[in-house]
Amino acid sequence: MSKHTTSGAHLRLKTSALLLAATLAAAGCVTQAPLADRWSQLRQAQPKLHPRDAARQLGVSEAQLLATQVGAEVLRLKAGDQDIKAIYERLPGLGRIKAITRNDDVVLERAGEVAPARRDEEGRVLPGTGFAGGPIDLRFAWAEWASAFAVVQPGRAGKTSRSLQFFDRQGDAVHKIYLDNDEHVAAFDKLVSDFRMSEQRAGLRVEPASPLPAQAVRMTPSEDDIKELRRSWQELTDVHQFPRLLRELRLTREQALQLIGPDAAWRISPQAAQALLEEARARQQPIMVFVSNRGMTQIYSGTIGKLATSGEWLNVLDPDFNLHLRMAAVDHGWVVRRPTDHGIVTSVEFYDASGRQIVNFFSRRDRGQAETAQWRNMADSLPRG
């Protein structure tokens, strides 16, 4: 074989390798060593940067970033539906924990011990006692969950941080649990050992986010659609029936709020978010705060103590409850009054400029009890916009 032929073959192999690498990168199978190096450099330059923000800067998901550390500070855990449910059933054995749910613009952190959830006569979880129980109230969308990790690394003030971190198919965090005591380290280690995957691979494949099918939403609802919406609205007996109504009528949430009529829903300004929290703190109004992402909804029930701003964030900073709301992301809100068997239930909801719900507030009330007049007056007085 001539030297020219050999060089040509080498060039073709090199070109094929480059094409393969580009194809893998486009599919989310980026070689992990360079990513680990880039993350290390980024951490040195910005040591306080949150992994979620670091992942965004590096053009990958947070789960892919975390997976580069597998074998060092990170272990992959079994992530089948039954495995994850079994992990959560073990939470009472960990003592005091901190449970964190977030989306791009709001973070809810709740600390406490997990206790069995209390249910009503119909088997529904009572407010404030939801799975995992006690103060940590969770609602799962299991179908979105895809990967799980145990993370043990240096924390603040020289303490070791121990956490369980769960991610969806796109590699975004759906939920994180931090051990918040030193007495149950052995139980944490045993849980990790029991659910550790036999193969500890550093790479991680993720899926692109699926857009909402165009046929799932009516772009221009007809007069008949609006009449059906208003008729069905008056027949609601529970706030949880509203999402089903939207699916049946093929409407987005905000489409329905715009069409339902000004007595049932009205738009409020972005400044209403801070006004609501300040008023709730001043009046010690018990509230419920709902924070959701694709795979999890976490709910706080109680009052607000310390409220503070830091840069673009509005923060509730109480001993067992933290809420961090990126005010710049709040484009507008809605006050919504839904009929139920137990009277009108008022929610205050906030959205970004694309119409994605950021956070949702209700009055804290026992099931079957009416909401307080104070809460309704607070909602009525919020600045409209």
Side-chain angles (χ1 to χ4, degrees), residues 23-40 43 51-52 54-70 74 76 146-149 165-173 176 201-209 294:
T23 301
L24 290 174
C29 301
V30 181
T31 303
Q32 293 300 304
L35 177 56
D37 292 343
R38 285 186 288 138
W39 189 24
S40 177
R43 280 190 293 185
R52 188 184 186 98
R56 185 175 289 109
Q57 287 193 31
L58 294 171
V60 297
S61 70
E62 185 180 353
Q64 287 174 299
L65 202 60
L66 190 61
T68 66
Q69 306 301 302
V70 166
V74 178
R76 295 193 67 169
S147 59
F149 300 85
Q165 303 190 17
F166 304 91
F167 298 84
D168 63 19
R169 292 172 304 196
Q170 288 72 41
D172 294 327
K176 297 182 181 181
R201 292 178 287 106
L204 182 71
R205 293 184 63 91
V206 298
E207 300 177 10
R294 278 187 291 265

Short mmCIF file of all heavy atoms in Angstrom, two decimals, residues 23-40 43 51-52 54-70 74 76 146-149 165-173 176 201-209 294:
data_model
loop_
_atom_site.label_atom_id
_atom_site.label_comp_id
_atom_site.label_asym_id
_atom_site.label_seq_id
_atom_site.Cartn_x
_atom_site.Cartn_y
_atom_site.Cartn_z
N THR A 23 -22.04 13.66 16.01
CA THR A 23 -23.35 13.01 16.09
C THR A 23 -23.69 12.67 17.53
O THR A 23 -24.81 12.89 18.01
CB THR A 23 -23.38 11.74 15.23
OG1 THR A 23 -23.08 12.08 13.88
CG2 THR A 23 -24.75 11.07 15.28
N LEU A 24 -22.73 12.11 18.26
CA LEU A 24 -22.96 11.75 19.67
C LEU A 24 -23.22 12.99 20.50
O LEU A 24 -24.08 12.99 21.39
CB LEU A 24 -21.75 10.98 20.21
CG LEU A 24 -21.56 9.57 19.66
CD1 LEU A 24 -20.24 8.99 20.17
CD2 LEU A 24 -22.70 8.66 20.05
N ALA A 25 -22.47 14.05 20.22
CA ALA A 25 -22.69 15.29 20.98
C ALA A 25 -24.09 15.82 20.75
O ALA A 25 -24.77 16.25 21.68
CB ALA A 25 -21.64 16.33 20.57
N ALA A 26 -24.54 15.78 19.49
CA ALA A 26 -25.89 16.26 19.18
C ALA A 26 -26.95 15.42 19.85
O ALA A 26 -28.03 15.90 20.20
CB ALA A 26 -26.11 16.26 17.66
N ALA A 27 -26.66 14.14 20.08
CA ALA A 27 -27.63 13.23 20.72
C ALA A 27 -27.54 13.27 22.24
O ALA A 27 -28.24 12.55 22.92
CB ALA A 27 -27.38 11.80 20.23
N GLY A 28 -26.65 14.09 22.78
CA GLY A 28 -26.54 14.18 24.23
C GLY A 28 -25.53 13.23 24.81
O GLY A 28 -25.46 13.06 26.02
N CYS A 29 -24.73 12.56 23.98
CA CYS A 29 -23.74 11.60 24.48
C CYS A 29 -22.36 12.24 24.44
O CYS A 29 -21.42 11.72 23.84
CB CYS A 29 -23.74 10.33 23.62
SG CYS A 29 -25.33 9.52 23.60
N VAL A 30 -22.21 13.40 25.01
CA VAL A 30 -20.95 14.11 24.98
C VAL A 30 -19.92 13.36 25.82
O VAL A 30 -20.22 12.85 26.89
CB VAL A 30 -21.13 15.54 25.54
CG1 VAL A 30 -19.83 16.31 25.48
CG2 VAL A 30 -22.22 16.26 24.76
N THR A 31 -18.68 13.27 25.33
CA THR A 31 -17.63 12.64 26.10
C THR A 31 -17.52 13.34 27.45
O THR A 31 -17.43 14.56 27.52
CB THR A 31 -16.29 12.73 25.35
OG1 THR A 31 -16.47 12.13 24.07
CG2 THR A 31 -15.20 12.03 26.12
N GLN A 32 -17.49 12.56 28.53
CA GLN A 32 -17.62 13.14 29.85
C GLN A 32 -16.34 13.76 30.38
O GLN A 32 -16.40 14.68 31.18
CB GLN A 32 -18.13 12.07 30.82
CG GLN A 32 -19.55 11.62 30.52
CD GLN A 32 -20.53 12.76 30.60
OE1 GLN A 32 -20.63 13.43 31.61
NE2 GLN A 32 -21.24 13.02 29.52
N ALA A 33 -15.17 13.27 29.99
CA ALA A 33 -13.93 13.82 30.53
C ALA A 33 -13.78 15.30 30.23
O ALA A 33 -13.53 16.10 31.14
CB ALA A 33 -12.73 13.03 30.02
N PRO A 34 -13.97 15.75 28.99
CA PRO A 34 -13.90 17.20 28.74
C PRO A 34 -14.93 17.98 29.52
O PRO A 34 -14.65 19.08 29.98
CB PRO A 34 -14.13 17.30 27.23
CG PRO A 34 -13.72 15.99 26.69
CD PRO A 34 -14.10 14.99 27.74
N LEU A 35 -16.15 17.45 29.67
CA LEU A 35 -17.18 18.14 30.44
C LEU A 35 -16.76 18.27 31.89
O LEU A 35 -16.92 19.33 32.50
CB LEU A 35 -18.51 17.40 30.33
CG LEU A 35 -19.67 17.97 31.16
CD1 LEU A 35 -19.93 19.43 30.80
CD2 LEU A 35 -20.93 17.14 30.95
N ALA A 36 -16.19 17.21 32.45
CA ALA A 36 -15.72 17.27 33.83
C ALA A 36 -14.64 18.32 33.99
O ALA A 36 -14.62 19.07 34.98
CB ALA A 36 -15.19 15.90 34.25
N ASP A 37 -13.76 18.41 33.00
CA ASP A 37 -12.69 19.41 33.06
C ASP A 37 -13.25 20.82 32.96
O ASP A 37 -12.85 21.73 33.70
CB ASP A 37 -11.69 19.18 31.92
CG ASP A 37 -10.88 17.90 32.10
OD1 ASP A 37 -10.87 17.37 33.23
OD2 ASP A 37 -10.30 17.43 31.11
N ARG A 38 -14.23 21.01 32.06
CA ARG A 38 -14.82 22.33 31.90
C ARG A 38 -15.58 22.75 33.15
O ARG A 38 -15.55 23.93 33.55
CB ARG A 38 -15.75 22.35 30.68
CG ARG A 38 -15.01 22.36 29.35
CD ARG A 38 -15.98 22.54 28.19
NE ARG A 38 -16.77 21.34 27.96
CZ ARG A 38 -18.07 21.35 27.68
NH1 ARG A 38 -18.72 22.49 27.65
NH2 ARG A 38 -18.72 20.22 27.48
N TRP A 39 -16.26 21.78 33.79
CA TRP A 39 -16.96 22.10 35.03
C TRP A 39 -15.97 22.45 36.14
O TRP A 39 -16.19 23.39 36.92
CB TRP A 39 -17.86 20.94 35.44
CG TRP A 39 -18.78 21.29 36.59
CD1 TRP A 39 -19.19 22.54 36.94
CD2 TRP A 39 -19.40 20.40 37.51
NE1 TRP A 39 -20.04 22.48 38.03
CE2 TRP A 39 -20.18 21.17 38.40
CE3 TRP A 39 -19.38 19.02 37.66
CZ2 TRP A 39 -20.91 20.61 39.42
CZ3 TRP A 39 -20.12 18.46 38.68
CH2 TRP A 39 -20.87 19.24 39.56
N SER A 40 -14.87 21.72 36.21
CA SER A 40 -13.85 22.02 37.22
C SER A 40 -13.31 23.43 37.04
O SER A 40 -13.15 24.18 38.02
CB SER A 40 -12.71 21.00 37.11
OG SER A 40 -11.68 21.31 38.03
N ARG A 43 -16.00 25.93 38.14
CA ARG A 43 -16.11 26.01 39.60
C ARG A 43 -14.98 26.82 40.21
O ARG A 43 -15.17 27.51 41.21
CB ARG A 43 -16.15 24.60 40.20
CG ARG A 43 -17.52 23.95 40.11
CD ARG A 43 -17.61 22.68 40.91
NE ARG A 43 -16.78 21.62 40.36
CZ ARG A 43 -16.76 20.38 40.82
NH1 ARG A 43 -17.51 20.05 41.87
NH2 ARG A 43 -16.01 19.46 40.27
N PRO A 51 -25.05 24.25 40.58
CA PRO A 51 -24.90 23.29 39.48
C PRO A 51 -25.91 23.48 38.36
O PRO A 51 -25.59 23.27 37.19
CB PRO A 51 -25.08 21.94 40.19
CG PRO A 51 -24.62 22.18 41.58
CD PRO A 51 -25.04 23.59 41.90
N ARG A 52 -27.14 23.87 38.68
CA ARG A 52 -28.15 24.09 37.64
C ARG A 52 -27.72 25.21 36.69
O ARG A 52 -27.85 25.11 35.47
CB ARG A 52 -29.50 24.43 38.30
CG ARG A 52 -30.69 24.50 37.33
CD ARG A 52 -31.94 24.94 38.08
NE ARG A 52 -33.14 24.90 37.27
CZ ARG A 52 -34.02 23.94 37.25
NH1 ARG A 52 -33.81 22.86 38.01
NH2 ARG A 52 -35.11 24.00 36.50
N ALA A 54 -24.56 26.26 36.36
CA ALA A 54 -23.34 25.81 35.70
C ALA A 54 -23.67 24.96 34.49
O ALA A 54 -23.06 25.10 33.42
CB ALA A 54 -22.47 25.03 36.69
N ALA A 55 -24.65 24.06 34.64
CA ALA A 55 -25.05 23.21 33.52
C ALA A 55 -25.55 24.05 32.35
O ALA A 55 -25.23 23.77 31.20
CB ALA A 55 -26.13 22.23 33.99
N ARG A 56 -26.32 25.08 32.67
CA ARG A 56 -26.84 25.94 31.61
C ARG A 56 -25.69 26.64 30.87
O ARG A 56 -25.72 26.75 29.64
CB ARG A 56 -27.81 26.96 32.21
CG ARG A 56 -28.51 27.82 31.18
CD ARG A 56 -29.55 28.72 31.81
NE ARG A 56 -30.70 27.97 32.28
CZ ARG A 56 -31.00 27.77 33.55
NH1 ARG A 56 -30.20 28.26 34.49
NH2 ARG A 56 -32.06 27.09 33.91
N GLN A 57 -24.71 27.10 31.62
CA GLN A 57 -23.57 27.77 30.99
C GLN A 57 -22.77 26.80 30.12
O GLN A 57 -22.23 27.20 29.08
CB GLN A 57 -22.65 28.37 32.06
CG GLN A 57 -23.19 29.61 32.74
CD GLN A 57 -22.13 30.34 33.54
OE1 GLN A 57 -20.96 30.33 33.19
NE2 GLN A 57 -22.55 31.01 34.62
N LEU A 58 -22.73 25.53 30.53
CA LEU A 58 -21.94 24.54 29.80
C LEU A 58 -22.74 23.85 28.70
O LEU A 58 -22.21 23.00 27.98
CB LEU A 58 -21.38 23.50 30.78
CG LEU A 58 -20.35 24.05 31.78
CD1 LEU A 58 -20.03 23.00 32.84
CD2 LEU A 58 -19.07 24.49 31.07
N GLY A 59 -24.02 24.18 28.59
CA GLY A 59 -24.83 23.63 27.51
C GLY A 59 -25.25 22.19 27.71
O GLY A 59 -25.50 21.47 26.72
N VAL A 60 -25.36 21.73 28.96
CA VAL A 60 -25.80 20.38 29.27
C VAL A 60 -26.86 20.45 30.36
O VAL A 60 -27.20 21.53 30.85
CB VAL A 60 -24.62 19.49 29.73
CG1 VAL A 60 -23.59 19.34 28.63
CG2 VAL A 60 -23.97 20.05 31.00
N SER A 61 -27.39 19.30 30.76
CA SER A 61 -28.34 19.26 31.86
C SER A 61 -27.60 19.10 33.18
O SER A 61 -26.43 18.69 33.22
CB SER A 61 -29.32 18.10 31.68
OG SER A 61 -28.65 16.87 31.89
N GLU A 62 -28.29 19.40 34.27
CA GLU A 62 -27.68 19.25 35.59
C GLU A 62 -27.35 17.79 35.88
O GLU A 62 -26.32 17.48 36.48
CB GLU A 62 -28.61 19.79 36.68
CG GLU A 62 -27.99 19.75 38.07
CD GLU A 62 -28.91 20.28 39.15
OE1 GLU A 62 -30.00 20.80 38.82
OE2 GLU A 62 -28.54 20.16 40.35
N ALA A 63 -28.21 16.86 35.44
CA ALA A 63 -27.94 15.44 35.67
C ALA A 63 -26.69 14.99 34.91
O ALA A 63 -25.89 14.21 35.44
CB ALA A 63 -29.14 14.60 35.25
N GLN A 64 -26.51 15.46 33.69
CA GLN A 64 -25.30 15.12 32.94
C GLN A 64 -24.06 15.65 33.64
O GLN A 64 -23.02 14.99 33.67
CB GLN A 64 -25.39 15.68 31.52
CG GLN A 64 -26.35 14.94 30.61
CD GLN A 64 -26.49 15.62 29.28
OE1 GLN A 64 -26.91 16.77 29.19
NE2 GLN A 64 -26.12 14.91 28.22
N LEU A 65 -24.17 16.85 34.19
CA LEU A 65 -23.05 17.44 34.92
C LEU A 65 -22.72 16.60 36.14
O LEU A 65 -21.55 16.27 36.40
CB LEU A 65 -23.42 18.86 35.32
CG LEU A 65 -22.27 19.82 35.60
CD1 LEU A 65 -21.38 20.00 34.38
CD2 LEU A 65 -22.83 21.17 36.05
N LEU A 66 -23.75 16.22 36.90
CA LEU A 66 -23.55 15.43 38.10
C LEU A 66 -22.95 14.06 37.76
O LEU A 66 -22.11 13.53 38.50
CB LEU A 66 -24.88 15.26 38.83
CG LEU A 66 -24.85 14.65 40.23
CD1 LEU A 66 -24.01 15.50 41.18
CD2 LEU A 66 -26.26 14.49 40.77
N ALA A 67 -23.36 13.50 36.64
CA ALA A 67 -22.89 12.17 36.25
C ALA A 67 -21.39 12.14 35.97
O ALA A 67 -20.78 11.07 36.01
CB ALA A 67 -23.66 11.68 35.02
N THR A 68 -20.79 13.29 35.69
CA THR A 68 -19.34 13.31 35.47
C THR A 68 -18.58 12.95 36.75
O THR A 68 -17.40 12.58 36.69
CB THR A 68 -18.85 14.68 34.98
OG1 THR A 68 -19.04 15.66 36.00
CG2 THR A 68 -19.59 15.10 33.72
N GLN A 69 -19.24 13.08 37.91
CA GLN A 69 -18.58 12.82 39.19
C GLN A 69 -18.83 11.42 39.73
O GLN A 69 -18.42 11.10 40.85
CB GLN A 69 -19.06 13.84 40.23
CG GLN A 69 -18.91 15.29 39.79
CD GLN A 69 -17.46 15.64 39.48
OE1 GLN A 69 -16.58 15.51 40.33
NE2 GLN A 69 -17.21 16.08 38.25
N VAL A 70 -19.53 10.59 38.95
CA VAL A 70 -19.82 9.23 39.41
C VAL A 70 -18.52 8.50 39.69
O VAL A 70 -17.58 8.52 38.89
CB VAL A 70 -20.64 8.46 38.35
CG1 VAL A 70 -20.66 6.96 38.65
CG2 VAL A 70 -22.07 9.00 38.32
N VAL A 74 -20.17 10.89 43.90
CA VAL A 74 -21.52 10.60 43.42
C VAL A 74 -21.66 9.12 43.10
O VAL A 74 -20.77 8.51 42.50
CB VAL A 74 -21.82 11.44 42.16
CG1 VAL A 74 -23.20 11.11 41.60
CG2 VAL A 74 -21.69 12.92 42.46
N ARG A 76 -24.62 6.37 41.33
CA ARG A 76 -25.91 6.24 40.66
C ARG A 76 -26.78 5.25 41.43
O ARG A 76 -26.30 4.22 41.89
CB ARG A 76 -25.71 5.77 39.23
CG ARG A 76 -24.98 6.78 38.36
CD ARG A 76 -25.06 6.44 36.90
NE ARG A 76 -26.43 6.55 36.40
CZ ARG A 76 -26.75 6.52 35.12
NH1 ARG A 76 -25.81 6.36 34.21
NH2 ARG A 76 -28.00 6.63 34.73
N ALA A 146 -36.37 9.76 35.81
CA ALA A 146 -35.51 8.92 34.97
C ALA A 146 -34.20 8.51 35.62
O ALA A 146 -33.68 7.44 35.32
CB ALA A 146 -35.22 9.62 33.64
N SER A 147 -33.62 9.32 36.49
CA SER A 147 -32.32 8.98 37.06
C SER A 147 -32.24 9.45 38.50
O SER A 147 -32.96 10.38 38.91
CB SER A 147 -31.17 9.59 36.24
OG SER A 147 -31.28 11.00 36.18
N ALA A 148 -31.37 8.80 39.27
CA ALA A 148 -31.23 9.11 40.69
C ALA A 148 -29.78 8.96 41.10
O ALA A 148 -29.05 8.08 40.61
CB ALA A 148 -32.11 8.18 41.54
N PHE A 149 -29.35 9.82 42.03
CA PHE A 149 -27.96 9.82 42.49
C PHE A 149 -27.92 10.03 44.00
O PHE A 149 -28.77 10.72 44.57
CB PHE A 149 -27.16 10.95 41.84
CG PHE A 149 -27.10 10.89 40.34
CD1 PHE A 149 -28.12 11.43 39.56
CD2 PHE A 149 -26.02 10.30 39.69
CE1 PHE A 149 -28.07 11.39 38.18
CE2 PHE A 149 -25.96 10.25 38.31
CZ PHE A 149 -26.99 10.79 37.55
N GLN A 165 -30.66 12.81 44.97
CA GLN A 165 -31.06 13.75 43.95
C GLN A 165 -31.70 13.01 42.77
O GLN A 165 -31.13 12.03 42.28
CB GLN A 165 -29.86 14.58 43.49
CG GLN A 165 -29.18 15.33 44.64
CD GLN A 165 -28.16 16.34 44.18
OE1 GLN A 165 -28.12 16.74 43.01
NE2 GLN A 165 -27.31 16.77 45.10
N PHE A 166 -32.85 13.49 42.34
CA PHE A 166 -33.66 12.80 41.34
C PHE A 166 -33.90 13.73 40.15
O PHE A 166 -34.17 14.92 40.33
CB PHE A 166 -34.98 12.36 41.95
CG PHE A 166 -34.82 11.50 43.18
CD1 PHE A 166 -34.76 12.08 44.44
CD2 PHE A 166 -34.70 10.13 43.06
CE1 PHE A 166 -34.60 11.29 45.58
CE2 PHE A 166 -34.54 9.33 44.19
CZ PHE A 166 -34.48 9.91 45.45
N PHE A 167 -33.83 13.15 38.93
CA PHE A 167 -33.90 13.96 37.71
C PHE A 167 -34.88 13.36 36.72
O PHE A 167 -35.13 12.15 36.72
CB PHE A 167 -32.51 14.06 37.08
CG PHE A 167 -31.50 14.74 37.97
CD1 PHE A 167 -30.82 14.02 38.95
CD2 PHE A 167 -31.25 16.10 37.85
CE1 PHE A 167 -29.91 14.65 39.80
CE2 PHE A 167 -30.35 16.74 38.69
CZ PHE A 167 -29.67 16.02 39.66
N ASP A 168 -35.41 14.21 35.85
CA ASP A 168 -36.35 13.74 34.84
C ASP A 168 -35.61 13.31 33.58
O ASP A 168 -34.37 13.29 33.54
CB ASP A 168 -37.42 14.80 34.55
CG ASP A 168 -36.84 16.10 33.97
OD1 ASP A 168 -35.70 16.07 33.45
OD2 ASP A 168 -37.53 17.13 34.03
N ARG A 169 -36.36 12.96 32.55
CA ARG A 169 -35.76 12.43 31.33
C ARG A 169 -34.95 13.47 30.58
O ARG A 169 -34.11 13.14 29.76
CB ARG A 169 -36.84 11.84 30.43
CG ARG A 169 -37.50 10.61 31.01
CD ARG A 169 -38.68 10.17 30.18
NE ARG A 169 -39.67 11.23 30.04
CZ ARG A 169 -40.92 11.01 29.64
NH1 ARG A 169 -41.32 9.81 29.36
NH2 ARG A 169 -41.76 12.02 29.51
N GLN A 170 -35.21 14.74 30.87
CA GLN A 170 -34.43 15.82 30.25
C GLN A 170 -33.18 16.16 31.07
O GLN A 170 -32.40 17.02 30.67
CB GLN A 170 -35.29 17.07 30.08
CG GLN A 170 -36.35 16.95 28.99
CD GLN A 170 -37.49 16.02 29.37
OE1 GLN A 170 -37.95 16.03 30.51
NE2 GLN A 170 -37.94 15.21 28.43
N GLY A 171 -33.03 15.52 32.22
CA GLY A 171 -31.86 15.78 33.06
C GLY A 171 -32.04 16.93 34.02
O GLY A 171 -31.07 17.36 34.66
N ASP A 172 -33.26 17.45 34.15
CA ASP A 172 -33.53 18.52 35.10
C ASP A 172 -33.94 17.93 36.45
O ASP A 172 -34.61 16.90 36.51
CB ASP A 172 -34.65 19.43 34.58
CG ASP A 172 -34.25 20.20 33.34
OD1 ASP A 172 -33.07 20.55 33.22
OD2 ASP A 172 -35.12 20.43 32.47
N ALA A 173 -33.57 18.60 37.52
CA ALA A 173 -33.88 18.11 38.86
C ALA A 173 -35.38 18.17 39.11
O ALA A 173 -36.02 19.20 38.88
CB ALA A 173 -33.14 18.93 39.91
N LYS A 176 -34.88 16.94 45.46
CA LYS A 176 -33.65 16.63 46.18
C LYS A 176 -33.97 16.51 47.67
O LYS A 176 -34.79 17.26 48.20
CB LYS A 176 -32.59 17.72 45.95
CG LYS A 176 -32.16 17.84 44.50
CD LYS A 176 -31.08 18.89 44.31
CE LYS A 176 -30.68 18.99 42.85
NZ LYS A 176 -29.61 20.00 42.62
N ARG A 201 -21.80 3.98 35.77
CA ARG A 201 -21.34 4.64 34.55
C ARG A 201 -21.36 6.17 34.72
O ARG A 201 -22.25 6.73 35.34
CB ARG A 201 -22.25 4.27 33.38
CG ARG A 201 -22.13 2.81 32.95
CD ARG A 201 -23.09 2.49 31.81
NE ARG A 201 -24.49 2.42 32.28
CZ ARG A 201 -25.38 3.36 32.03
NH1 ARG A 201 -25.04 4.45 31.37
NH2 ARG A 201 -26.63 3.23 32.46
N ALA A 202 -20.36 6.80 34.13
CA ALA A 202 -20.26 8.26 34.25
C ALA A 202 -21.14 8.98 33.23
O ALA A 202 -21.61 10.08 33.48
CB ALA A 202 -18.81 8.71 34.09
N GLY A 203 -21.37 8.38 32.07
CA GLY A 203 -22.16 9.05 31.04
C GLY A 203 -23.65 8.99 31.34
O GLY A 203 -24.12 8.13 32.08
N LEU A 204 -24.41 9.90 30.75
CA LEU A 204 -25.86 9.91 30.94
C LEU A 204 -26.52 10.47 29.69
O LEU A 204 -26.18 11.56 29.22
CB LEU A 204 -26.24 10.78 32.14
CG LEU A 204 -27.74 10.82 32.48
CD1 LEU A 204 -28.19 9.48 33.05
CD2 LEU A 204 -28.04 11.94 33.47
N ARG A 205 -27.48 9.72 29.16
CA ARG A 205 -28.27 10.19 28.02
C ARG A 205 -29.51 10.91 28.53
O ARG A 205 -30.13 10.48 29.49
CB ARG A 205 -28.69 9.02 27.13
CG ARG A 205 -27.54 8.33 26.41
CD ARG A 205 -28.06 7.25 25.49
NE ARG A 205 -28.90 7.79 24.45
CZ ARG A 205 -28.45 8.18 23.25
NH1 ARG A 205 -27.16 8.08 22.97
NH2 ARG A 205 -29.27 8.64 22.34
N VAL A 206 -29.88 11.98 27.87
CA VAL A 206 -31.10 12.70 28.22
C VAL A 206 -31.92 12.90 26.95
O VAL A 206 -31.42 12.76 25.84
CB VAL A 206 -30.80 14.07 28.87
CG1 VAL A 206 -30.04 13.88 30.17
CG2 VAL A 206 -30.01 14.97 27.92
N GLU A 207 -33.20 13.22 27.15
CA GLU A 207 -34.11 13.42 26.03
C GLU A 207 -34.43 14.91 25.89
O GLU A 207 -34.47 15.64 26.89
CB GLU A 207 -35.42 12.66 26.26
CG GLU A 207 -35.27 11.17 26.41
CD GLU A 207 -36.59 10.48 26.71
OE1 GLU A 207 -37.64 11.17 26.61
OE2 GLU A 207 -36.59 9.29 27.04
N PRO A 208 -34.68 15.35 24.67
CA PRO A 208 -35.14 16.74 24.52
C PRO A 208 -36.55 16.88 25.07
O PRO A 208 -37.31 15.91 25.11
CB PRO A 208 -35.10 16.96 23.00
CG PRO A 208 -35.23 15.58 22.42
CD PRO A 208 -34.54 14.65 23.39
N ALA A 209 -36.88 18.07 25.53
CA ALA A 209 -38.23 18.32 26.04
C ALA A 209 -39.23 18.20 24.92
O ALA A 209 -39.00 18.68 23.81
CB ALA A 209 -38.31 19.69 26.69
N ARG A 294 -41.70 19.38 36.10
CA ARG A 294 -42.32 18.30 35.33
C ARG A 294 -42.64 17.07 36.18
O ARG A 294 -43.61 16.36 35.92
CB ARG A 294 -41.39 17.88 34.18
CG ARG A 294 -41.49 18.78 32.96
CD ARG A 294 -40.68 18.21 31.80
NE ARG A 294 -39.26 18.27 32.04
CZ ARG A 294 -38.46 19.24 31.61
NH1 ARG A 294 -38.97 20.25 30.93
NH2 ARG A 294 -37.17 19.21 31.87
#
